[in-house]
Structure formats: structure tokens, C-alpha cells
Amino acid sequence: MARFTLPRDLYFGKGCLEELKNLKGKKAILVIGGGSMKKFGFVDRAIEYLKEAGIETLLFEGVEPDPSVETVMRGAEAMRQFEPDWIISMGGGSPIDAAKAMWVFYEYPKTSFKKILTPFSFPTLRTKAKFCAIPSTSGTATEVTAFSVITDYAKGVKYPLADFNITPDVAIVDPDLAETMPKKLTAHTGMDALTHAIEAYVSTVAQPFTDPLALEAIKIIDKDLQASYDGDMKARENMHYAQCMAGMAFSNALLGITHSMAHKTGAAFETGHIPHGCANAIYLPYVIQYNAVNKRAKERYCEIAKMLGLKGKSGTALVNALCDRIREMNAYFGIPASLKEYGINEEEFLAKIDNIAKLAVGDACTGSNPRPITPAKMKALFTHVYYGTTVRV
């Protein structure tokens, strides 16, 4: 038996933020990040719409990129004091991910972070509040997923939290918010979405309900991401929907070791923090090469390549063409081809890689990767990524 879970309601189209007028409740906490949503007027609009709905709103600001355990606990305490019946988060993946984790500790103050690290182990939510997510970036798709990523900076580790309980009740996918993204963020989040879709399609638990969503997302991203990066707002709108489709796919089909590697290296190196989407973009071609040893994965990579019109006289040639296409996109966006090129110090990399490899193998995303991996093979794969060499693992 398989399961397919999405938000109860998903609103999309320009101006659909106005749907906040129709929420039913008494109190809402609005969780946001660093201020861009305030700067561009979306927070004021959201609060006004909630006022029209008769809902009192508390603003919780300042969720940092790659939100910390400490921020989650601080937000949960604010919720316990205010007692909202709606948790609403607006912005990129960071504030929405943080708000999802806050939700757990609001409803279950006595639980611990350690207890929810095991995938699909959360207590039953919605005993106090429902959740509405409003994305401003086109990549994480956390507005439709059962996932949240929280960082323990003391340990230098990102923890992917996974449970269908934290799938939002309402997603408002308004492309007006995505028009404010700077170019680099457009590129990084777009490549994150591409990674979501490709990993979902080759996952060991891919299913008939996720495959069409993954393939359509890949097709749109291939066609529109570069134009979106260059400022074409119709392409930007298409990307906002494509990343959401990719999220629907991976929330139910899960991911693979590209994400395992990204989770465990984003905050690991003092010589360079690696934004999540950028890390995925760097790692993805190497992971495809590694996974293509698996017959089913290779066939599925070939299907993607053919759908995109890539040429190759053999399966291996088609897989290589897909890797080349991803590298071509990375180059267009100025994303480095290796960790060494990114600026990670070689001495630090060599000193930390054994532990990073072990942590990556233990990541929640590794279990659905199409080809099994050991810490030794993960270390070898990371080494190829560091020096930019062809994968032979």
C-alpha cells in the first residue's frame, strides 16, 4: 500500500493571497523571515486580509536562512503565549520550515527535538491550530510537503524532519510574491526544484500519482528557469507552479542522496556555507552518474533525457547528455562545477569528509535512493564532487 497526501486546498494564480479573507478562525500567528515580504508590502496585505476575516494577527519576524533549533523553540513559545488557531507562514522555505517545526512544539510543549528526528514519528497535530503556507520562492515547495529542514549549528548538521502531519492544510501559491526574487535566489531555488523532481522520479517509492507531476515539473523547469532567471515574469509564474508540482511529487515519492549530501554539507565548512539549492545543483550530475549503475534508475534518467529532446545512441550516452544539460544550466547561473571551485578549503574537506559521509548515509533521504550507498562509497562520491572528476564508484 502507498499513500499520496497533499494540502486540503491549494490556491494559485496572481493575486490569490486575497484568499486569506476566507479563513475561519480567531487568531493567527504570521511567521516570516528577514523582511523582504514586509518591504514589498505583502505582510501588510496579508494582515489586512486576515483583519477582514475577523482574525487577530501576531507577527513573528526574523527567521534566518537555514532556521535553527533555537529559532524554532523561540517561535513555539510565542505561539504558546498567543494561542493561535491558525499558523500562517509567508516567505521562502526557511520561515515555512521553521513554522512547521514550531507547530509541533506549540501543540506538544513536552516533546523534544530528538523525538521527532525519526521520520514519520510526529504526534498528531491540529489539536490547537491549522497551517497555511504562502511561498515567495520557487524551489522548496514546502507549502505542499511533509518535510521541514532545521539546522543544529552547534553540530553543523541539517536535520530533515518528515511526517505527513506537517503537510499544510492550505497552500497559497501566488506568483506575485515570486516576482521579488533576486537572480541568484531564482537560480538556486529553481535548481532545487529540478533536483526534487528528478530524485522523486527515480526514487524507490515513486508511484503512478507522483510520476506525471515529476515529469511535468522537469519539463517546465528545463524550458522556463533560464528565462525566469533573466527576468521574464511569465516564466517566473510558470516556475512557481512547476516547483509546487515537484513538491507534490517528492513529498510522496521521497528523495535521494543528492539531498542527503546537501543536508550534511550546507553548514559543515567554515570555508564556505553552501546554500541548499546551490549544493543540490552541484551534486546532482555526480549523483546521476552514481545511480545510473542501477538498471531502473538508468532507464528513468533516459526517459527524462528523451522527454527533454536530448540525444544519445545508448543509455549511457543519454544519461551523460542529461548530466551535461544540468551542468550547462549551472554554468548559465554561475554555479560552480565542484566544491573546490566553490571555495571549500581542501584541508578542511579532507579533515571532515569521513564524518560528513557517515552522516549523509544516515540522512532520512538516503533510504529511497535507487542505488544503496555505504560511508566508503559516499566518501568516494564526495571526493569526485570536490575535485570535479568523473564518478567511478
Side-chain angles (χ1 to χ4, degrees), residues 101-324:
M102 293 170 189
W103 188 14
V104 181
F105 295 104
Y106 166 46
E107 300 209 0
Y108 294 91
K110 293 183 180 179
T111 197
S112 68
F113 196 82
K114 185 177 181 180
K115 285 183 180 179
I116 63 171
L117 291 181
T118 302
F120 303 98
S121 65
F122 282 40
T124 299
L125 295 180
R126 296 167 181 82
T127 63
K128 295 180 181 178
K130 293 181 180 180
F131 196 100
C132 174
I134 309 168
S136 66
T137 60
S138 303
T140 69
T142 189
E143 74 275 6
V144 293
T145 76
F147 298 96
S148 166
V149 180
I150 305 299
T151 301
D152 185 334
Y153 285 95
K155 296 179 180 178
V157 175
K158 287 187 176 182
Y159 293 116
L161 307 178
D163 197 285
F164 288 116
N165 268 289
I166 57 171
T167 305
D169 298 279
V170 176
I172 296 177
V173 187
D174 188 336
D176 285 348
L177 278 69
E179 290 185 1
T180 66
M181 285 193 298
K183 292 187 73 165
K184 182 179 285 189
L185 185 60
T186 300
H188 289 177
T189 56
M191 293 305 292
D192 189 20
L194 180 63
T195 307
H196 290 156
I198 291 176
E199 291 211 302
Y201 193 64
V202 302
S203 162
T204 57
V205 289
Q207 51 164 284
F209 292 95
T210 60
D211 285 349
L213 289 163
L215 288 174
E216 183 66 12
I218 292 166
K219 184 167 66 174
I220 294 171
I221 293 166
D222 179 73
K223 178 176 72 72
D224 285 323
L225 179 53
Q226 288 174 231
S228 174
Y229 176 80
D230 290 333
D232 182 325
M233 289 305 157
K234 180 58 182 175
R236 184 76 56 91
E237 179 178 357
N238 293 342
M239 278 297 306
H240 210 45
Y241 304 149
Q243 64 87 30
C244 189
M245 293 178 206
M248 294 177 188
F250 91 77
S251 186
N252 292 279
L254 308 181
L255 293 164
I257 60 171
T258 310
H259 274 77
S260 302
M261 296 165 75
H263 290 151
K264 298 306 184 270
T265 52
F269 298 113
E270 292 180 9
T271 48
H273 174 269
I274 313 172
H276 178 70
C278 181
N280 279 330
I282 294 170
Y283 300 152
L284 183 58
Y286 298 95
V287 170
I288 290 173
Q289 289 178 328
Y290 174 84
N291 283 341
V293 171
N294 176 279
K295 183 175 182 292
R296 176 183 169 277
K298 185 174 185 177
E299 289 171 352
R300 291 207 149 209
Y301 290 135
C302 289
E303 289 170 11
I304 294 170
K306 290 175 183 177
M307 179 187 71
L308 298 181
L310 304 176
K311 304 299 181 185
K313 293 183 179 180
S314 67
T316 298
L318 282 168
V319 170
N320 289 337
L322 178 59
C323 292
D324 288 343

Side-chain angles (χ1 to χ4, degrees), residues 64-80:
E64 71 274 39
D66 300 318
S68 66
V69 174
E70 290 77 14
T71 294
V72 168
M73 295 308 181
R74 187 166 52 86
E77 177 59 28
M79 291 176 185
R80 288 192 290 269

Side-chain angles (χ1 to χ4, degrees), residues 14 16-17 25 33 39 41 56 92 115-116 129 142 148 209 267 271-272 288 325 378 390:
K14 293 177 73 65
C16 68
L17 182 64
K39 175 183 176 183
E56 179 187 355
K115 285 183 180 179
I116 63 171
T142 189
S148 166
F209 292 95
T271 48
I288 290 173
R325 172 59 184 145
M378 180 65 82
T390 301

